[in-house]
Amino acid sequence: MDAGNLTQNVMTAMESVAQTLKQIQQYQLQLQQSVQPMTKLTGILELEGRCQFSRQHPFALCQGSQGDALPLPQLMALVGQGTMSLALLLAVWSVVAGLAAATGRDARLLRSAAYALWGILGLVAIAVAIFVHAIVTHDFSFSVVAASTSRSLPWGYLITSAWASQAGSLLLWVSILIIFSLLALRATRQGLAEIRPWLIAILGAILAFFLLLLVVPASPFATQVAPPDGNGLNPALQNPYMATHPPALYIGYVGLAIPFAIAMAAMLAGR
C-alpha cells in the first residue's frame, strides 16, 4: 500500500469517528430533554405524597419538605383582604361614575356605576365565605377568630360569633348595606330613573366609608401565629336573644340609609 492510500484511509477513519461522536452528542441531548419532564413528574408525585386530606383543616392539605403545613390559611386571609380592597375601589368608582352620570347625562357611566355595586356584592360574598369558613374550621391564625371563638363553643354560637367582634359586625353591616342598596336601585328603575345616578353616588359613598373601616382599622382578615385554642365568645353574648339581636338591629340601622339616600338623591335631582 502506498503513502497516498494510507493517508486517505486515515482521513476516512477520522471522519467516521467524528460523525460517531456527533451522533453520541445528539443522543445525549435527546436523553436530557426526555429526563427533564420525568424529573418534574417525580417532584409532583413527591409533593402529592406529602399531601393528606384533613377534615379539620381542608385549607392546609400539603406539607413541605420539613413536614410543616403550607401557609394556605394566610393565603385565604390575603384573598379576603384583597376582596375588601377591590370592593373599596369599586365603591369609590361608583361615586365618581354616579356623579359624572348625574351631571353629564351619560348612560354608559350610569350602567358602569350600577355594575360596580353588583361587583361589590360578589366581593363581599367571597369575603363573608372566607371569614365564616375560618370560624367553623377553628382557624385561629385569624386574629378575630382566635379572639371570639374556641373549640368548645357550641355550633349555634360559633355562627353568631361572626358578628361578635367589631370587624365581624362591620362585615355584617356592609353585607346588609349592599343588599339593600341593590334593592333600592331596582325599586327606582321605573318611576324614579332620574334620581338613580345621585342614588348610586350616595350609596357608594356610604359603602366606601364602611369598606375603608374594614380595610384599614378593623380588618377581619388580620393574621397571627395560631394559638392552640381561642379565647371563646363573651359569656354575655351566649344567649339566644343576643344571638339574634345584632342582625335585627343592623337591619334597622342599615335600612335607614336607603330612605336617606333616596331623599338626598331626589333633592339633588330637583324632584
Side-chain angles (χ1 to χ4, degrees), residues 50-118:
R50 294 193 300 267
C51 296
Q52 296 179 354
F53 179 76
S54 172
R55 293 184 179 179
Q56 289 76 18
H57 209 309
F59 282 110
L61 305 182
C62 299
Q63 294 180 344
S65 58
Q66 302 298 326
D68 298 329
L70 295 178
L72 289 180
Q74 284 76 9
L75 177 61
M76 298 304 295
L78 183 62
V79 172
Q81 187 69 18
T83 58
M84 291 290 93
S85 300
L86 288 176
L88 175 60
L89 293 177
L90 286 180
V92 173
W93 170 249
S94 68
V95 176
V96 174
L99 292 176
T103 56
R105 304 292 181 179
D106 193 330
R108 293 177 301 177
L109 285 175
L110 178 60
R111 287 194 299 269
S112 178
Y115 290 153
L117 294 184
W118 282 103

Side-chain angles (χ1 to χ4, degrees), residues 18-232:
Q19 292 179 357
T20 303
L21 291 175
K22 186 176 180 180
Q23 292 178 354
I24 292 174
Q25 290 178 353
Q26 292 177 352
Y27 291 149
Q28 289 178 345
L29 181 60
Q30 293 176 359
L31 181 61
Q32 291 176 356
Q33 293 176 351
S34 62
V35 167
Q36 287 178 355
M38 293 300 297
T39 304
K40 294 180 181 179
L41 179 60
T42 302
I44 294 173
L45 292 176
E46 289 178 355
L47 178 60
E48 290 181 351
R50 294 193 300 267
C51 296
Q52 296 179 354
F53 179 76
S54 172
R55 293 184 179 179
Q56 289 76 18
H57 209 309
F59 282 110
L61 305 182
C62 299
Q63 294 180 344
S65 58
Q66 302 298 326
D68 298 329
L70 295 178
L72 289 180
Q74 284 76 9
L75 177 61
M76 298 304 295
L78 183 62
V79 172
Q81 187 69 18
T83 58
M84 291 290 93
S85 300
L86 288 176
L88 175 60
L89 293 177
L90 286 180
V92 173
W93 170 249
S94 68
V95 176
V96 174
L99 292 176
T103 56
R105 304 292 181 179
D106 193 330
R108 293 177 301 177
L109 285 175
L110 178 60
R111 287 194 299 269
S112 178
Y115 290 153
L117 294 184
W118 282 103
I120 294 173
L121 176 64
L123 291 170
V124 170
I126 294 173
V128 170
I130 293 174
F131 185 59
V132 172
H133 179 271
I135 291 175
V136 299
T137 57
H138 304 297
D139 189 352
F140 298 124
S141 64
F142 285 67
S143 301
V144 175
V145 175
S148 57
T149 69
S150 64
R151 298 186 185 276
S152 60
L153 196 64
W155 178 262
Y157 293 128
L158 195 64
I159 298 298
T160 59
S161 66
W163 50 80
S165 60
Q166 183 184 33
S169 297
L170 285 172
L171 188 59
L172 177 62
W173 187 289
V174 169
S175 302
I176 298 173
L177 180 57
I178 185 58
I179 293 174
F180 280 4
S181 298
L182 291 172
L183 291 176
L185 201 62
R186 183 177 182 84
T188 57
R189 185 173 55 181
Q190 299 296 334
L192 299 173
E194 62 274 16
I195 74 169
R196 281 165 59 87
W198 295 106
L199 179 63
I200 293 175
I202 295 170
L203 291 174
I206 299 174
L207 281 165
F209 171 75
F210 288 105
L211 286 169
L212 181 62
L213 296 179
L214 283 170
V215 170
V216 183
S219 173
F221 303 106
T223 58
Q224 63 179 3
V225 177
D229 200 355
N231 297 332

